[in-house]
Amino acid sequence: MDRTATAVWKGNLKEGGGTIDTQSGALKGTPYSFKMRFEDESGKSGTNPEELIAAAHAGCYAMQLSHFLAENGTPAAKLEATAAVKLIPGTGITESNITLVADVPGIDDAKFQELAAKAKAECPVSRALGAIKVGLDAKLA
């Protein structure tokens, strides 16, 4: 299974800009630029590669954990995963940290933490991010 995204960039690094489109159409002509990536702390002016990695990591992790919880006989009512990807200019992406708040009826915290850690280790995006630190802070609601 292959999935695609296309980025079109025009101009130089600091004054140029581009758009990103995804195969699904979820992103269509979504703008990105140097300013959006390095200067706009609000993150509201457009997207950037780190935000897209964070979205992929949070989504993949939640899906993987939902599978393990269902296999355990304790399906989740709700999993809210947030991934924060850290970029250090001049160094690169150094970590992705997942914060999870989970509503999982009928599970004790020890088993929940075990499955949460297993999902972090086995999520395909976590595996793809093997060159950086991947952290997890998982809590039951």
Side-chain angles (χ1 to χ4, degrees), residues 6-141:
T6 301
V8 175
W9 186 268
K10 295 178 182 176
N12 65 29
L13 176 63
K14 289 200 174 183
E15 287 97 34
T19 57
I20 296 175
D21 296 279
T22 57
Q23 177 180 348
S24 68
L27 300 178
K28 186 165 179 64
T30 304
Y32 76 113
S33 69
F34 182 88
K35 178 183 177 188
M36 292 170 197
R37 190 173 191 187
F38 296 107
E39 297 172 4
D40 178 12
E41 289 296 322
S42 75
K44 304 288 184 192
S45 61
T47 193
N48 58 67
E50 293 73 33
E51 177 181 64
L52 299 173
I53 291 169
H57 198 193
C60 181
Y61 175 78
M63 290 176 75
Q64 185 71 64
L65 180 56
S66 74
H67 173 66
F68 292 151
L69 290 166
E71 279 188 332
N72 187 58
T74 52
K78 181 180 178 184
L79 300 174
E80 185 172 328
T82 302
V85 171
K86 184 172 191 168
L87 170 69
I88 298 174
T91 299
I93 296 171
T94 59
E95 56 191 85
S96 180
N97 294 296
I98 299 168
T99 302
L100 174 73
V101 178
D103 180 1
V104 185
I107 196 167
D108 64 64
D109 191 60
K111 186 64 175 181
F112 170 72
Q113 293 298 330
E114 174 191 328
L115 295 175
K118 181 180 177 185
K120 179 189 95 163
E122 295 187 25
C123 156
V125 174
S126 288
R127 288 181 176 179
L129 297 174
I132 65 170
K133 176 186 173 239
V134 175
L136 174 64
D137 178 16
K139 292 181 176 61
L140 287 168

